[in-house]
């Protein structure tokens, strides 16, 4: 597979990149939407995190911005391919399953480090305007996962370039990064707590932590794990958004019921 990838032309790499990223985004997003909106609530498993409604036109906007991000990620596949063509990086075609497993673990940890630093930069006054489109989704959906400004997509999409310069990875190890990254990122934007019994610091509670990042517009800059937020003191309290939810519930209670005179 490694040799097949290297032998592709630049145009073929970009076309396959678009198919790959578009396919996994639609697949994970649709599955997440079905589980969080239909299946799990019907079974009484888990709970909705933010009770507030979506904004008018939110899904349409998220899908449009996600389409641009898929373009950035898909066309951007030419950059790791280019490193291989220039001889600046190589793929290990003989890696065994133990090596592949170890490489995936290292890349998962690196993904969290890379995401934290880029995410924190996007919350500075110099780059905040590029992160604003993503934060328009205060109540998140799976389609908010790739709902980025193109600059943000480019910043987050270069995650494998530096590791490729430092180590000869297996093709399958590198291919796993967008898969596990999108899988966990989609869960993080699902606005659904799949594991209510997990502690707030558990990596199973990533959707709880990231929904608070959107609700509070700061803190919890990490991805799936918590070690970066713990290290830099950017973790926010588990009940940080409760005043917002309480105000929403009180407003609902004050509104007249259907059929009741105001």
């Amino acid at each position: 597979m490694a040799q097949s990838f290297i032998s592709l032309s630049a145009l073929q790499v970009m076309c396959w990149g678009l198919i790959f990223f578009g396919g996994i985004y639609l697949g994970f997003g649709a599955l997440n939407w079905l589980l969080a909106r239909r299946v799990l609530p019907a079974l009484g498993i888990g709970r909705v995190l933010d009770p507030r409604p979506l904004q008018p036109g939110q899904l349409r906007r998220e899908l449009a911005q996600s389409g641009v991000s898929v373009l950035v990620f898909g066309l951007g596949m030419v950059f790791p391919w280019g490193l291989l063509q220039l001889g600046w990086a190589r793929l290990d075609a003989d890696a065994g399953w133990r090596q592949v497993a170890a490489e995936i673990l290292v890349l998962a940890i690196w993904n969290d480090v890379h995401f934290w630093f880029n995410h924190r930069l996007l919350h500075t006054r110099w780059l905040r305007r590029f992160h604003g489109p993503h934060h328009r989704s205060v109540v998140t959906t799976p389609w908010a996962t790739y709902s980025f400004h193109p600059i943000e997509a480019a910043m987050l999409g270069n995650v494998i370039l530096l590791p490729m310069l430092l180590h000869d990875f297996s093709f399958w190890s590198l291919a796993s990064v967008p898969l596990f990254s999108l899988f966990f990122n989609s869960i993080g934007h699902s606005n659904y707590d799949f594991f209510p019994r997990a502690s707030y610091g558990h990596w199973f509670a990533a959707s709880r932590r990231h929904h608070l990042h959107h609700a509070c517009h700061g803190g919890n800059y990490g991805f799936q794990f918590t070690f970066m937020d713990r290290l830099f003191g950017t973790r926010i309290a588990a009940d940080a958004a409760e005043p917002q939810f309480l105000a929403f519930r009180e407003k609902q209670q004050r509104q007249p019921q259907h059929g009741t005179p105001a």
Side-chain angles (χ1 to χ4, degrees):
M1 194 66 180
Q3 190 56 46
S4 298
F5 178 73
I6 296 171
S7 65
L8 294 174
S9 67
L11 181 60
Q12 289 173 323
V13 167
M14 290 187 285
C15 288
W16 279 113
L18 290 173
I19 294 170
F20 175 69
F21 279 99
I24 63 174
Y25 189 64
L26 290 174
F28 282 142
L31 178 60
N32 192 341
W33 184 272
L34 179 64
L35 287 173
R37 294 273 174 161
R38 303 291 183 187
V39 178
L40 296 181
L43 296 174
I45 300 173
R47 63 186 180 94
V48 173
L49 290 166
D50 194 325
R52 295 173 293 182
L54 301 182
Q55 300 165 342
Q58 178 175 333
L59 291 178
R60 190 182 308 112
R61 170 178 51 79
E62 288 175 347
L63 286 167
Q65 289 180 171
S66 295
V68 175
S69 296
V70 167
L71 280 173
V72 173
F73 294 146
L75 298 179
M77 286 293 293
V78 76
F79 289 102
W81 173 86
L83 293 180
L84 297 170
Q85 298 298 317
L86 292 170
W88 295 357
R90 293 186 302 173
L91 296 176
D92 187 349
D94 300 318
W97 71 266
R98 289 184 178 84
Q99 178 180 330
V100 171
E103 288 176 348
I104 291 174
L105 177 60
V106 170
L107 288 170
I109 295 171
W110 163 245
N111 185 64
D112 246 271
V113 174
H114 178 272
F115 183 86
W116 190 95
F117 277 110
N118 280 278
H119 195 184
R120 188 67 188 89
L121 284 172
L122 286 163
H123 276 265
T124 62
R125 63 186 180 90
W126 300 282
L127 297 177
R128 192 178 298 141
R129 64 185 181 275
F130 300 123
H131 196 42
H134 184 64
H135 269 281
R136 287 182 64 188
S137 300
V138 178
V139 179
T140 57
T141 78
W143 309 115
T145 306
Y146 275 2
S147 185
F148 299 141
H149 187 283
I151 296 296
E152 178 172 357
M155 290 174 65
L156 298 179
N158 64 27
V159 60
I160 67 172
L161 297 184
L162 179 59
M164 287 182 67
L165 296 174
L166 301 177
H167 174 73
D168 297 345
F169 285 90
S170 161
F171 172 86
W172 299 110
S173 301
L174 295 174
S176 75
V177 175
L179 288 172
F180 69 67
S181 178
L182 178 57
F183 175 76
F184 289 123
N185 211 353
S186 181
I187 289 176
H189 288 88
S190 63
N191 189 34
Y192 202 81
D193 190 356
F194 294 90
F195 303 99
R197 295 184 180 180
S199 68
Y200 180 62
H202 198 286
W203 67 287
F204 279 3
S207 62
R208 224 180 297 162
R209 292 191 298 273
H210 197 69
H211 115 88
L212 288 176
H213 173 78
H214 277 260
C216 301
H217 202 79
N220 287 0
Y221 299 112
F223 187 71
Q224 183 64 22
F225 307 118
T226 61
F227 64 90
M228 291 298 289
D229 282 312
R230 290 176 182 273
L231 180 63
F232 289 96
T234 53
R235 189 180 178 194
I236 60 178
D239 60 352
E242 284 306 313
Q244 299 179 47
F245 302 156
L246 179 60
F248 170 73
R249 294 186 185 103
E250 290 177 346
K251 182 180 178 180
Q252 278 190 316
Q253 291 173 357
R254 289 195 300 267
Q255 290 176 345
Q257 298 297 316
H258 180 71
T260 302

